[in-house]
Structures are given as structure tokens and as C-alpha cells.
Amino acid sequence: MRKVYITGLGLITSIGNSVPEVEASLRELKHGIEVFPPFQKPDVPVKVAATVKGFDTSSADFEDWTYPAEYSVRRELLRSMAPNGLYAHCAMTQAIADAALTEADIRNPRTGIYCASGGSPFLLYHLMTRMREAGVMRCPPTGIVASIAGTLNFNLVAAFKIEGVSCGFSSACASSGHAAGYAYEDIATGRQDRVFVVGAEDGNYDAILPFAGMRALSLQSDPDLASRPFDVARDGFVGTGGGAVLVLESEEAVAKRGVKPYAELAGWGQASDGHNVAMSHPEGAGLARAMRNALESTGVAPAQVEYINAHATSTPIGDISEARAIRTIFGESTAAVPVSSTKALTGHGLSLSTAMETAFCAIAMRGGFIPGAAHLKEVDPECSGLNLPRETIARKPRVVLNNSSGFGGANVTLVLKAVD
């Protein structure tokens, strides 16, 4: 099994649209949540979202979109994209530059791409309405590839001329975790030399508000109080969108190109709850198994872990489930390992979340710090025993776990190791 490294990152997020901006936000615990104008209606109880700055994709017509001037996306590419496709394309451009990849590195059968997105409910609704009201043949020919769940891989494979593996993953909030795990296996077993792992979501009215019907969203109107994982007063998650790209490469490719990685992706584990279509197992059974599988596959003992980036979304049930899973696996070591959920800063990115948060972990490992548990005032007694630092810790974590959980009880844990 070959070692796998993270050599490049691309980020379009609520806390920054570049690695330096995101690193500053993580260090300073600066969140990206704000009062969201589309939600300011009497019949909408949700008031805040973690917004992507510098982009306006509110129109269903891509011709009306605006985005930062440093990106140049051709019209023939934009016409088949949803908002999440634009975010992913810009993040992909960043990641390629960050990893110093050439066109030859990208366009060959040994380079692939795995993507995760829920599609675009926004565009799908617009297109279905147009079809019903204006006629079947009035829908644009690129409407399907712009709106359905595989839209990211459709567009990015074509735009960047990917010739290796490609696939879209759909396991809700664990989706980009699965994408990273299977990308790791393709590289570790020698089937690919590098794989782009991409997660992106629209983060708009239609992508976020359906979760209100599940009673899963925070009803706080104060952005500073809305996302507070593990806090006794938490009342749901804050929605967000954006795009994140990881460049994963084999140790041979890293040596050949002479690049310095952010971190090693040492392995992963996954397991299912077998419990409920939407709620986590009350004892975190599936997530505990995923963590155990990840640790065993990498030969890491719980006492060696120096930071856990928790999935914790700030929901009453989910955070308790994860706290119990961590205590199950770490036992006497629980109080020694710092835990935080960066969703306190970014909100919850659904399919985007694991790719984004793995990038956060890689940035922290290279930068020599551990993000604190932002907005945490009073720890829920059900989450007691966890080491939840209120401030950023100026220490480089050598071994990091990144947890993800999705609908149906899908759980993924990634293991990252620091590089010298």
C-alpha cells in the first residue's frame, strides 16, 4: 500500500475564498454566519446562513452570475453549471495552482476525480416549473447536467479533461468523506497516481430551508449564537454552501514532482448505524465503529490522536451521539484529545462538509495549530468528558481524526498524519 498525501487545496467557503483567508479565520475563530436576506419573511422561521462572499448566484440564469475577477470561466462551461458547480470550478482552479500541477499531470489516465454534491434543488425546481408552465421543449438542453446530483463530476471531468477514474458520491453529509476514502484506496493500491476530491453545495434558499421541516435548523436570529456545537443551548445547524477540493497524490508522485504536502491521508474507516433514516444512533454505535476501523487500518492507538475535528452540527441529538461515540473509543484518553467542530464557524455544508473540514485539518497541521470550539459557553452535560478548548491551541497536531455522519447512519472517519 502506497502512502497518500494531500498536496493541494482549493476553498470557496463562508470563512474565506483562499487558503490564507481560511487559515486566518480558523486561527481567529472568525465565523462566516450572517442574517440572510432571502430568509427575512414572516413565514420563514430560519433567519441566518453561512454565506459565500464575493459570489452572486441568486439568479437561475448563469448570465446574471457574478464572481471574483481572478476566475475566468467560459460561457460554454457556465451554461451547464449550478451555483455549486461554479464554486467547485473555482476551488479546482485554486487547488491545481496550489499543488503546482501541469496540464500533463491532470490530463492522463492516472489522474481521476471523485465528487460529492446533493445537486441543485434551486435549478431543478426552476426547470421543472418552466417545463410545466412553458412546455416540455422550453427547458435548456444543459438543464439536467446542471441540476442533478452528478453535476459536479459531469462538469469537472469535461472542463478539466480528466481521463482517470470519476464518480459522484451520494451519502448525504458523509458524501465527500466517502469520496476521500475511495480516492485514498485507488491511490494506495496503485490504480491511480492522483485523485481530486471535490465537495460543493449551493447553500441557497432551496438547498437549506427543506431542513426546517425536519426541525434540524437553528432558529436563532443572532449569528453569534446560531451554530454552537456541544453547547447546552444549541438548537440546530446553520446551512452553508461553497466548494472544496483536495488534491491527493501517491508518495511516488510527490517525490517525482518535488512538492511538499500539507499532510498524509493515512487511511480511513466507515460503518453504518443500522438504526434510523435520519437520526444518529443514540449511542453513536456506527460512528464508533467507523473510528475504530480507521484507527485499526492505520495502526494508530487512540492515545496517539492529538485532535478530532468532530462532525457535530449543533443539533440536539447528533452532538450527543458523537460525544458518546468518542468516549466509547477513547475511554481514559478522552480528556486528553482536543475536540472541536469547525461548523461553529462555517455552518454545515452537507455533502461539502468532509472535504472542507479535511482541508481545515490539513491547514491546521501545516500551520501548527488546533482550532478551538467556537461559541461554546456551557457544555451540554451529555457531552461532558470531552476536551473542548475554547481558544485556538498553538500546537501542531501529529495525528488527526475527521468525522462525518450522514442520513441513514452512514459514518466515515479519515485519519491524517503530519509530515515534516
Side-chain angles (χ1 to χ4, degrees), residues 27 262-264 304-309 336-340 360-371 392-401 415-420:
R27 287 181 181 274
Y262 282 84
E264 177 190 353
Q304 294 176 279
V305 176
E306 296 182 0
Y307 172 54
I308 300 173
N309 185 285
V337 57
V339 178
S340 70
F360 294 169
C361 292
I363 289 169
M365 296 176 85
R366 187 183 70 170
F369 67 97
I370 296 171
T392 296
I393 300 172
R395 185 176 76 242
K396 179 175 184 173
R398 305 293 303 178
V399 180
V400 169
L401 297 190
V415 181
L416 281 73
K417 292 183 178 179
V419 294
D420 296 319

Side-chain angles (χ1 to χ4, degrees), residues 3-4 45 77 127 133 144 162 250 263 289 292 302 400 420:
K3 288 187 176 181
V4 178
L77 298 178
L127 292 167
E133 295 180 354
I144 291 294
I162 303 296
S250 69
R289 284 192 294 272
R292 182 178 292 112
V400 169
D420 296 319

Side-chain angles (χ1 to χ4, degrees), residues 143-163:
I144 291 294
V145 294
S147 60
I148 65 175
T151 183
L152 290 186
N153 34 298
F154 306 155
N155 277 281
L156 297 178
V157 165
F160 292 93
K161 309 303 180 186
I162 303 296
E163 297 177 5

Side-chain angles (χ1 to χ4, degrees), residues 44 62 125 238 247 262 330:
V44 178
F62 69 90
Y125 174 78
V238 174
V247 180
Y262 282 84
F330 285 83

Side-chain angles (χ1 to χ4, degrees), residues 214-238:
M214 298 180 69
R215 309 300 190 268
L217 297 178
S218 173
L219 302 183
Q220 287 285 345
S221 59
D222 183 347
D224 294 333
L225 299 177
S227 184
R228 39 185 168 171
F230 301 117
D231 194 282
V232 69
R234 70 193 183 281
D235 69 335
F237 75 80
V238 174

Side-chain angles (χ1 to χ4, degrees), residues 47-388:
K47 299 302 177 185
V48 301
T51 57
V52 176
K53 288 74 175 175
F55 290 75
D56 183 353
T57 57
S58 56
S59 172
D61 186 347
F62 69 90
E63 301 273 17
D64 299 329
W65 293 352
T66 60
Y67 50 93
E70 62 262 34
Y71 301 105
S72 178
V73 188
R74 299 192 309 274
R75 184 181 186 277
E76 60 266 29
L77 298 178
L78 277 174
R79 65 198 296 264
S80 61
M81 290 181 186
N84 66 73
L86 176 60
Y87 302 145
H89 191 283
C90 295
M92 185 91 165
T93 301
Q94 271 187 53
I96 289 169
D98 192 38
L101 295 171
T102 67
E103 186 175 350
D105 294 326
I106 300 164
R107 297 182 61 173
N108 67 79
R110 302 286 298 174
T111 296
I113 188 167
Y114 285 151
C115 301
S117 164
S120 180
F122 165 63
L123 277 188
L124 193 59
Y125 174 78
H126 169 75
L127 292 167
M128 293 297 102
T129 301
R130 181 176 177 131
M131 182 182 73
R132 291 178 183 276
E133 295 180 354
V136 173
M137 301 307 292
R138 296 293 295 172
C139 288
T142 55
I144 291 294
V145 294
S147 60
I148 65 175
T151 183
L152 290 186
N153 34 298
F154 306 155
N155 277 281
L156 297 178
V157 165
F160 292 93
K161 309 303 180 186
I162 303 296
E163 297 177 5
V165 299
S166 67
C167 187
F169 287 78
S170 183
S171 49
C173 309
S175 298
S176 56
H178 280 116
Y182 284 109
Y184 162 84
E185 292 193 357
D186 271 344
I187 297 171
T189 56
R191 292 191 291 266
Q192 297 281 270
D193 292 329
R194 73 181 52 79
V195 179
F196 295 97
V197 175
V198 186
E201 294 285 8
D202 282 0
N204 52 19
Y205 186 99
D206 298 275
I208 295 172
L209 277 190
F211 290 92
M214 298 180 69
R215 309 300 190 268
L217 297 178
S218 173
L219 302 183
Q220 287 285 345
S221 59
D222 183 347
D224 294 333
L225 299 177
S227 184
R228 39 185 168 171
F230 301 117
D231 194 282
V232 69
R234 70 193 183 281
D235 69 335
F237 75 80
V238 174
T240 193
V245 177
L246 313 172
V247 180
L248 303 185
E249 296 191 81
S250 69
E251 56 186 324
E252 291 86 354
V254 168
K256 180 180 178 181
R257 298 199 311 111
V259 295
K260 183 179 180 180
Y262 282 84
E264 177 190 353
L265 177 54
W268 72 304
Q270 64 166 318
S272 301
D273 284 350
H275 171 66
N276 184 275
V277 68
M279 292 188 296
S280 302
H281 188 283
E283 298 300 320
L287 181 55
R289 284 192 294 272
M291 284 190 283
R292 182 178 292 112
N293 291 339
L295 293 170
E296 289 178 353
S297 74
T298 55
V300 171
Q304 294 176 279
V305 176
E306 296 182 0
Y307 172 54
I308 300 173
N309 185 285
H311 176 73
T313 62
S314 190
T315 57
I317 294 175
D319 290 13
I320 293 172
S321 174
E322 185 166 13
R324 290 172 177 170
I326 291 171
R327 289 197 296 260
T328 295
I329 296 302
F330 285 83
E332 295 180 356
S333 301
T334 300
V337 57
V339 178
S340 70
S341 171
T342 48
K343 292 182 180 71
L345 307 178
T346 65
H348 183 19
L350 308 175
S351 299
L352 156 69
S353 60
T354 316
M356 179 169 64
E357 290 156 19
T358 301
F360 294 169
C361 292
I363 289 169
M365 296 176 85
R366 187 183 70 170
F369 67 97
I370 296 171
H375 303 154
L376 183 60
K377 302 299 183 185
E378 181 181 350
V379 178
D380 187 330
E382 294 288 348
C383 302
S384 63
L386 300 187
N387 179 351
L388 298 163

